């Protein structure tokens, strides 16, 4: 199930693999321990507060603030086609942090530490491939399945899909 989550996925089968299915459907989920109620994002199958192994998914808003950001000029292998690209770490209002790419709505100089943002799942569909990623967008941006604009990272990914 995780094979279509992100560009490079190292987790093919985990107890939280349904996280990717929720993202595909536009929902960002945290986990909540059914024994003690501790929430975690990213979701955890095993509770780090009580060591319980039972959890449920709870939807979170995706709202947060930019903790830090950078522009990747020298990308790791497999990401060369996207460089330069901007990534950021977002502190979520409901706890937890997300590392994600900035969406196309932000131009150079538009990003600042502390600014409010919205994490949005994005589905990138190509004829024989499907990827789900999260992007950092302006507050209030809602999830939608949308076609990639020419020249954007999403379009480059679609063009490079065999
Ligand atoms: Zn617990």
């Amino acid at each position: 199930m995780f094979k279509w989550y992100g560009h490079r996925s190292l987790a093919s089968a985990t107890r939280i693999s349904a996280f990717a299915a929720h993202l595909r459907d536009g929902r960002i989920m945290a986990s909540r321990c059914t024994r003690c109620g501790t929430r975690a994002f990213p979701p955890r199958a095993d509770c780090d507060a009580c060591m319980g192994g039972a959890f449920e998914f709870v939807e979170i808003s995706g709202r947060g603030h930019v903790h830090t950001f950078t522009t990747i000029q020298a990308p790791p292998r497999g990401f060369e086609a996207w460089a330069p690209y901007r990534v950021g770490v977002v502190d979520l209002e409901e706890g937890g942090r997300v590392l994600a790419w900035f969406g196309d709505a932000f131009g150079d100089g538009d990003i600042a530490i502390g600014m409010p943002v919205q994490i949005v799942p994005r589905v990138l569909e190509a004829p024989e491939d499907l990827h789900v990623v999260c992007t950092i967008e302006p507050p209030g941006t809602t999830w939608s399945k949308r076609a990639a604009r020419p020249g954007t990272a999403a379009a480059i990914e679609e063009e490079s899909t065999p």
Side-chain angles (χ1 to χ4, degrees):
M1 177 177 293
F2 252 98
K3 67 181 169 57
W4 39 260
Y5 174 54
H7 183 58
R8 293 272 189 250
S9 178
L10 303 176
S12 59
T14 75
R15 289 171 55 214
I16 53 94
S17 61
F19 174 67
H22 286 295
L23 279 181
R24 181 192 58 199
D25 296 334
R27 293 186 298 272
I28 303 172
M29 308 301 272
S31 62
R32 180 168 54 206
C33 173
T34 56
R35 182 195 289 175
C36 76
T38 296
R39 284 175 25 151
F41 188 89
R44 307 175 59 114
D46 297 306
C47 179
D48 64 352
C50 75
M51 306 305 283
F55 73 97
E56 60 189 356
F57 283 110
V58 290
E59 187 171 2
I60 62 173
S61 69
R63 290 190 300 270
H65 295 83
V66 174
H67 179 80
T68 190
F69 66 97
T70 191
T71 298
I72 305 295
Q73 301 283 352
R77 182 180 299 172
F79 291 82
E80 296 89 345
W82 288 272
Y85 56 90
R86 292 169 299 179
V87 298
V89 175
V90 173
D91 290 321
L92 296 171
E93 285 184 1
E94 292 139 309
R97 284 183 172 158
V98 175
L99 171 65
W101 295 35
F102 281 93
D104 306 324
F106 296 101
D108 291 336
D110 288 348
I111 303 167
I113 290 173
M115 68 186 286
V117 290
Q118 174 79 44
I119 298 297
V120 178
R122 180 179 287 194
V123 177
L124 310 172
E125 287 184 284
E128 295 182 1
D129 207 356
L130 170 70
H131 289 290
V132 179
V133 299
C134 284
T135 57
I136 303 170
E137 305 291 348
T141 303
T142 56
W143 172 82
S144 64
K145 290 187 178 182
R146 55 189 162 185
R149 294 195 334 232
T152 63
I156 293 168
E157 177 166 276
E158 289 177 357
E159 290 162 6
S160 66
T161 301

